Amino acid sequence: MKFKNEELKVAADAIRVLVADMVEKANSGHPGGSMGQADVAATLWLEYLRVDPKNPLWPDRDRLVFSGGHCSPLVYSLFHLAGMDGLSMDEVKNFRQFGSRTAGHPERELIRGIEVTTGPLGQGLAMGVGLALAAKMKSARNRTWVLCGDGDMEEGISHEACSFAGTLGLGGLVVVYDANDITIEGHATLAMKDDTQARFTSYGWKVFTCDGHDFDAIRAALDAAVAVSDAPVLVISRTHIGQGAPTKHDTAGVHGAPLGAAELAATKRALGYDPDKFFAVPQQAYDLFARRAAAIAQDASARGACEAPAIDVAKLTALLPAFDPAKVVATRAACGMVMNALAEGCAELVGGSADLEPSNKTGLKKYGWISADDFSGRNIHFGIRELAMTSIVNGMAAYGGLRPFGATFFVFSDYCKPALRLASLMGLPSLFVFSHDSFYVGEDGPTHEPVEQIAALRVVPNLDVYRPADANETGACWVAMLARTAGPSCILTTRQNLPVLADATPEKVMRGG
Amino acid sequence: MKFKNEELKVAADAIRVLVADMVEKANSGHPGGSMGQADVAATLWLEYLRVDPKNPLWPDRDRLVFSGGHCSPLVYSLFHLAGMDGLSMDEVKNFRQFGSRTAGHPERELIRGIEVTTGPLGQGLAMGVGLALAAKMKSARNRTWVLCGDGDMEEGISHEACSFAGTLGLGGLVVVYDANDITIEGHATLAMKDDTQARFTSYGWKVFTCDGHDFDAIRAALDAAVAVSDAPVLVISRTHIGQGAPTKHDTAGVHGAPLGAAELAATKRALGYDPDKFFAVPQQAYDLFARRAAAIAQDASARGACEAPAIDVAKLTALLPAFDPAKVVATRAACGMVMNALAEGCAELVGGSADLEPSNKTGLKKYGWISADDFSGRNIHFGIRELAMTSIVNGMAAYGGLRPFGATFFVFSDYCKPALRLASLMGLPSLFVFSHDSFYVGEDGPTHEPVEQIAALRVVPNLDVYRPADANETGACWVAMLARTAGPSCILTTRQNLPVLADATPEKVMRGG
């Protein structure tokens, strides 16, 4: 459905003013990026995004990721105006207060509709790739939208994830890059002069550009974006940070600090708002979002659902190979046999390695490898991209209905750590296989010998770290990992052979026995 | 100086055969990439690279980085043929043996001439950027050469470091990308279809391409590369992995396993070597490298040296600000004051933040910011690139004559970890400031609250982690950090105010008092 440009402006200005009021009241937060993206966000939400605020977890919904998590005021403004998960004005007013749902950065577990927790830059973009990949692998028709900024583009994970997405011709993914050219230290070109259009074209993406304050241009770019089905799309939206603030827009000062009373009043006057009123949303703005919600809700009832898998511990346990105590087996080899056995009982198990599958032993041999031409396989070539792999796995886990895994050498879990942490915060059941778990890697030397990694991971709250003592325990650990739904799990496996020792069962492992 | 193509081929084939013999004898290692790069490496070493094997740490030497550390047989072949740091044939034969200098991956501390330890992919490339940046900031005339491969190009750090280098128009840096299109899981295009030439052009690099087995083409590309002074250069060298092995070249199988006796013999026969002889280097090959060394040695004697700074603890201590016990001061604020005071007594202190300078308080206010037009400043805009920042700091530290630092929020030390680890292994005195060191960051929420990071960093061998209790201790810690030369140091600082408590001195800090 389409709205009049005047209507979009009503919605966008309502977002702007709400953002500015939230940050002012909290006396902390980031108004600039949210105000700058208001026009794009309003257009996207009202005319393109397929979500049902009354049914935030509708399985076939479009996924929307706010990769610049500091733009949380934008999230809460949109969610409040749309009535997403019932977000009330009182909650909006509680922005950045302890215990509120309107936290400093958007947290998945606090409001249904926040698909992934963001804040550490770049990871939202990579999780968006994971969400879009999950949709492809599940033959779903929903789209994934990612809003991101200069910081996301500078982070290395943007290269890893977007090169990966381009290689797979990942249709259904639209990233809207808010190019406002301002970062904390000043003009973005102080630190980055990339030609981002050329960069993404080099990855095989389709790229469109627009003036992010011109509704016709925004609409033209988004129309072009949704017409592409065989490649990921980048929309470069040129905006002014803090748009609407008469004197502070286009300055680094508006990035991470309140406008201040005088500038806030001037902003409201400039946008036709009463400067003496706070958190005053015109009824027309609510009405516009309600019209959109009504249209989507009708669609929602007509579409199917994707089920989350149920794990049956007994059934999976019965599938485990029995390892002969007379033999010696490296737990990485046992892990591969276990995964292949369990894959028969858990159709949702999909994943791959960061170019170490022959060493990690994580290939699911009965199944194919996904490619741009065919997403029906269960194995993924993540490439030599450990951090993006971890975030993509997180995005796939956040999508639902899949049990995705990633794998690499344990020493390179260092590269994965920022995303392991985020999975732990979100309580996502992502799975990771880290083989070559000790100095027994031997000849490769200290760069490849994990010494401190196990201590480093075991202190991460809500991250389960399994290190089986033998082949049978490896099987029991895997069942326990699949049974866990409240957070991510890692299994550490040996390169070297080990005696087969343990009388292990999943139940023992799950109770720490 | 120029050699005949036939001479270059003698040198290149000597490398190839030595590589294959080393991996065969060790029964472990990676022959393919080293054999594939032999022609380029021989040309680079004999005609372009300015190093003096008898004087490996000559300050004005060109820096050569082998970013694909698994190509260590290439390093040892070159070093042995050239006589670098006296690397003997017995040592070559001891490849990948415990305690040998010819370790599985090249380690800086084992052989003079290995500029940086490599193995974790991508970091060598970023350290190369740091080496080149250090040269620019010291107005040195040497060049930095980096050999890298597909894995380096896939890693996200390659984006961060190369976007940074492009922004600075970092002349003097030549990266030779060995594009053999083979990775462990198979053809590289399974996981990456980037147009790498377009990608690097988008960063502002100059890009040349060549057939990496055609000496005229290699020479033309390298000639073009060294003619560029105002931008970093990428040379894309198209090669066959395992070139010289008659049936195994161009296969993933030659990446990380010995050729096997039959293929090794066939390789030698194809190259005109006696298949029954091992580690047999033609005298002509030694002679070629000796001719080059003789030419460079003459130059070496004519050029200057860059001095490493000497740290005078008493002199630096005298510069420290005294903080008033009646006041409260955040240690991040104290840290900024201390750094600015110490910068007066330590001209080698240079660095910057990953776009958080106003929060980290790490700006050296009396000094300028470096840019493409002017490298005379002491402050660096690293951009939102924590991992590359850390590696670039390591590269600068490896160059010598500088005391470089990087800074970000402590929670984002997770992104830095792979390079903090490598600095620790190398014993490089890199410096890092991690502000916002606890859950006292408050409103930004759990994504920004470091909880487990201090435990994770304190278990890294040879990484010193300082967490001063107050402002005066902050000063003492900084002097201790500058006095340390055997490894990297981090200082953790608070966002919130703290009472001024401690009667701290650098000596107390250094003895753990």
Side-chain angles (χ1 to χ4, degrees):
Chain A
M1 68 194 296
K2 297 293 176 191
F3 288 78
K4 293 177 192 159
N5 288 359
E6 302 78 57
E7 293 174 321
L8 295 176
K9 180 156 170 45
V10 167
D13 286 345
I15 292 167
R16 275 193 179 93
V17 172
L18 208 42
V19 164
D21 275 344
M22 288 167 72
V23 177
E24 199 72 18
K25 180 164 189 293
N27 196 27
S28 121
H30 304 77
S34 294
M35 294 174 73
Q37 290 177 82
D39 299 315
V40 167
T43 309
L44 173 60
W45 193 288
L46 291 174
E47 298 196 349
Y48 296 87
L49 186 75
R50 301 178 60 77
V51 297
D52 179 357
K54 296 278 185 295
N55 185 10
L57 301 186
W58 167 36
D60 287 344
R61 71 192 179 276
D62 281 0
R63 267 60 170 182
L64 173 59
V65 174
F66 299 84
S67 190
H70 55 285
C71 295
S72 55
L74 175 64
V75 182
Y76 307 135
S77 302
L78 282 167
F79 278 26
H80 170 66
L81 291 169
M84 191 75 160
D85 201 20
L87 194 73
S88 70
M89 184 59 94
D90 280 348
E91 292 182 292
V92 168
K93 290 178 183 173
N94 259 331
F95 176 55
R96 290 174 84 86
Q97 301 310 302
F98 189 72
S100 79
R101 290 204 296 168
T102 48
H105 290 78
E107 296 177 39
R108 171 183 161 91
E109 59 281 20
L110 295 184
I111 308 179
R112 291 182 301 161
I114 295 177
E115 303 290 350
V116 289
T117 299
T118 51
L121 291 172
Q123 290 195 51
L125 179 50
M127 288 188 283
V129 171
L131 287 162
L133 176 58
K136 275 279 187 195
M137 292 180 74
K138 294 183 70 70
S139 304
R141 293 177 301 163
N142 67 289
R143 247 184 215 96
T144 302
W145 303 88
V146 177
L147 301 182
C148 75
D150 291 306
D152 298 290
M153 286 295 166
E154 293 187 16
E155 289 283 357
I157 192 174
S158 70
H159 168 60
E160 297 182 352
C162 296
S163 169
F164 174 84
T167 300
L168 286 178
L170 198 59
L173 174 64
V174 181
V175 175
V176 182
Y177 164 33
D178 181 53
N180 64 32
D181 286 337
I182 297 291
T183 66
I184 292 173
E185 293 187 1
H187 200 274
T189 55
L190 291 172
M192 180 177 81
K193 292 183 188 152
D194 297 358
D195 176 344
T196 300
Q197 174 156 8
R199 177 186 163 208
F200 275 72
T201 302
S202 83
Y203 297 148
W205 289 48
K206 301 286 186 242
V207 184
F208 306 101
T209 60
C210 67
D211 173 344
H213 302 305
D214 175 337
F215 292 108
D216 290 330
I218 295 167
R219 201 183 277 118
L222 297 182
D223 280 347
V226 297
V228 175
S229 63
D230 59 350
V233 175
L234 180 71
V235 174
I236 302 176
S237 164
R238 300 246 163 242
T239 63
H240 300 280
I241 192 170
Q243 172 83 351
T247 68
K248 289 195 171 175
H249 74 271
D250 280 337
T251 67
V254 81
H255 170 88
L259 296 185
E263 184 79 3
L264 177 60
T267 301
K268 290 181 181 174
R269 273 192 295 268
L271 299 178
Y273 278 65
D274 182 342
D276 295 325
K277 289 190 177 162
F278 297 87
F279 299 100
V281 175
Q283 184 57 42
Q284 191 192 355
Y286 288 121
D287 293 344
L288 294 167
F289 281 84
R291 266 165 62 196
R292 176 62 175 172
I296 294 286
Q298 292 176 348
D299 277 349
S301 62
R303 298 178 73 177
C306 77
E307 296 297 320
I311 294 297
D312 179 332
V313 169
K315 181 184 132 205
L316 289 182
T317 303
L319 292 172
L320 290 176
F323 294 94
D324 180 352
K327 301 249 171 86
V328 292
V329 188
T331 52
R332 65 169 167 152
C335 179
M337 295 169 66
V338 164
M339 289 175 69
N340 275 279
L342 294 179
E344 300 309 297
C346 180
E348 298 77 15
L349 185 66
V350 299
S353 162
D355 197 46
L356 288 171
E357 183 274 324
S359 295
N360 302 143
K361 311 287 187 198
T362 44
L364 303 179
K365 297 187 195 308
K366 274 199 188 175
Y367 304 94
W369 292 80
I370 64 162
S371 70
D373 303 320
D374 184 357
F375 286 87
S376 67
R378 291 171 64 178
N379 295 290
I380 302 168
H381 293 292
F382 281 113
I384 304 159
R385 308 178 175 112
E386 296 82 4
L387 178 56
M389 172 180 73
T390 311
S391 274
I392 290 167
V393 165
N394 290 345
M396 295 172 77
Y399 188 90
L402 288 175
R403 294 307 305 273
F405 69 88
T408 186
F409 287 155
F410 187 36
V411 77
F412 299 141
S413 66
D414 280 354
Y415 284 94
C416 308
K417 170 73 204 301
L420 294 174
R421 181 177 213 264
L422 210 53
S424 305
L425 281 175
M426 287 188 277
L428 286 177
S430 306
L431 301 168
F432 301 96
V433 176
F434 296 128
S435 77
H436 296 59
D437 71 339
S438 79
F439 63 88
Y440 277 103
V441 302
E443 302 91 337
D444 274 331
T447 57
H448 284 56
E449 289 168 352
V451 171
E452 75 278 17
Q453 279 71 17
I454 191 164
L457 290 192
R458 284 197 161 145
V459 290
V460 180
N462 200 34
L463 178 65
D464 275 8
V465 181
Y466 296 89
R467 196 186 202 188
D470 81 336
N472 286 317
E473 199 166 85
T474 303
C477 288
W478 252 106
V479 175
M481 286 164 62
L482 286 171
R484 179 170 203 234
T485 57
S489 303
C490 311
I491 186 167
L492 317 184
T493 63
T494 66
R495 175 194 187 207
Q496 77 278 15
N497 284 328
L498 294 179
V500 175
L501 294 171
D503 175 26
T505 65
E507 291 76 12
K508 278 189 188 176
V509 167
M510 281 184 268
R511 66 170 188 263
Chain B
M1 67 193 296
K2 298 294 177 189
F3 288 78
K4 294 177 191 159
N5 288 358
E6 303 79 58
E7 293 174 321
L8 294 177
K9 180 157 170 45
V10 167
D13 286 345
I15 292 168
R16 274 193 181 91
V17 173
L18 208 42
V19 163
D21 275 343
M22 289 167 72
V23 176
E24 200 71 18
K25 179 165 190 293
N27 196 27
S28 122
H30 304 77
S34 294
M35 293 174 74
Q37 290 177 82
D39 298 315
V40 167
T43 309
L44 173 59
W45 193 288
L46 291 174
E47 298 196 350
Y48 295 87
L49 185 74
R50 301 177 60 76
V51 297
D52 180 357
K54 296 279 186 296
N55 186 9
L57 301 186
W58 167 36
D60 287 343
R61 70 191 178 277
D62 281 0
R63 266 61 171 182
L64 173 58
V65 174
F66 300 85
S67 190
H70 54 284
C71 296
S72 55
L74 176 65
V75 182
Y76 307 135
S77 301
L78 282 167
F79 278 25
H80 170 67
L81 291 169
M84 192 73 159
D85 201 20
L87 193 73
S88 71
M89 185 58 96
D90 281 347
E91 293 181 292
V92 169
K93 291 177 182 172
N94 259 329
F95 176 55
R96 289 175 84 87
Q97 302 310 302
F98 189 71
S100 78
R101 291 204 295 169
T102 47
H105 290 77
E107 297 177 38
R108 170 183 161 91
E109 59 281 20
L110 295 184
I111 309 179
R112 291 180 302 160
I114 295 177
E115 303 291 350
V116 288
T117 298
T118 50
L121 292 172
Q123 290 194 51
L125 178 50
M127 289 189 284
V129 171
L131 287 162
L133 176 58
K136 275 281 187 192
M137 291 181 74
K138 294 183 70 71
S139 305
R141 293 176 302 163
N142 68 288
R143 248 186 215 93
T144 303
W145 302 88
V146 177
L147 301 182
C148 75
D150 291 307
D152 297 290
M153 285 296 166
E154 292 187 18
E155 288 283 358
I157 191 174
S158 70
H159 167 61
E160 297 182 353
C162 296
S163 168
F164 174 83
T167 300
L168 285 177
L170 198 59
L173 173 64
V174 182
V175 174
V176 182
Y177 164 34
D178 181 53
N180 63 32
D181 286 337
I182 298 290
T183 66
I184 292 174
E185 292 187 3
H187 200 275
T189 55
L190 291 173
M192 180 178 79
K193 293 183 188 152
D194 297 358
D195 175 344
T196 299
Q197 176 157 6
R199 176 186 163 208
F200 275 71
T201 303
S202 83
Y203 297 148
W205 288 49
K206 300 286 187 242
V207 183
F208 307 101
T209 61
C210 66
D211 173 344
H213 302 304
D214 175 336
F215 293 109
D216 290 331
I218 295 167
R219 202 183 277 117
L222 296 182
D223 280 347
V226 298
V228 175
S229 62
D230 59 349
V233 175
L234 180 71
V235 173
I236 301 176
S237 164
R238 300 246 162 241
T239 65
H240 300 280
I241 193 169
Q243 171 83 351
T247 69
K248 289 196 171 177
H249 74 271
D250 280 336
T251 67
V254 82
H255 169 88
L259 296 185
E263 183 80 2
L264 177 60
T267 301
K268 289 180 181 174
R269 274 191 294 268
L271 299 177
Y273 278 65
D274 182 341
D276 296 324
K277 288 191 178 162
F278 297 86
F279 298 99
V281 176
Q283 185 58 42
Q284 189 190 357
Y286 289 120
D287 293 344
L288 294 167
F289 281 84
R291 268 167 59 197
R292 175 63 176 171
I296 294 286
Q298 292 175 346
D299 276 349
S301 62
R303 297 178 74 178
C306 76
E307 297 296 321
I311 293 296
D312 180 333
V313 169
K315 180 183 134 208
L316 288 182
T317 303
L319 291 172
L320 290 176
F323 293 94
D324 180 352
K327 301 249 173 87
V328 291
V329 187
T331 53
R332 66 170 167 152
C335 179
M337 295 170 67
V338 164
M339 289 175 69
N340 275 278
L342 294 178
E344 300 309 296
C346 179
E348 298 78 14
L349 184 66
V350 299
S353 163
D355 197 47
L356 288 171
E357 182 273 325
S359 295
N360 301 144
K361 310 287 186 197
T362 44
L364 303 178
K365 297 187 194 309
K366 273 198 187 175
Y367 304 94
W369 293 80
I370 65 162
S371 69
D373 303 320
D374 183 359
F375 286 87
S376 67
R378 292 171 65 177
N379 295 291
I380 301 168
H381 292 292
F382 281 114
I384 304 159
R385 309 178 175 111
E386 295 83 5
L387 179 56
M389 172 180 74
T390 310
S391 273
I392 291 166
V393 164
N394 290 346
M396 296 173 77
Y399 188 90
L402 288 175
R403 294 307 305 273
F405 69 87
T408 185
F409 286 155
F410 186 37
V411 77
F412 299 141
S413 66
D414 280 354
Y415 285 94
C416 308
K417 170 73 203 301
L420 293 174
R421 181 175 211 266
L422 210 54
S424 304
L425 281 174
M426 287 188 275
L428 285 178
S430 305
L431 301 168
F432 300 97
V433 177
F434 295 129
S435 76
H436 296 59
D437 72 339
S438 79
F439 63 88
Y440 277 105
V441 302
E443 300 90 338
D444 275 332
T447 57
H448 283 58
E449 289 167 353
V451 170
E452 73 279 17
Q453 279 70 19
I454 191 162
L457 291 191
R458 283 197 162 145
V459 289
V460 180
N462 200 33
L463 177 65
D464 275 8
V465 180
Y466 296 88
R467 195 187 202 187
D470 81 335
N472 285 316
E473 200 166 85
T474 303
C477 288
W478 252 106
V479 174
M481 287 163 61
L482 286 171
R484 179 169 204 234
T485 56
S489 303
C490 311
I491 186 167
L492 317 185
T493 63
T494 66
R495 175 195 185 206
Q496 77 278 14
N497 284 327
L498 294 179
V500 175
L501 294 170
D503 176 26
T505 66
E507 291 76 12
K508 278 190 187 176
V509 168
M510 281 185 268
R511 66 171 188 263

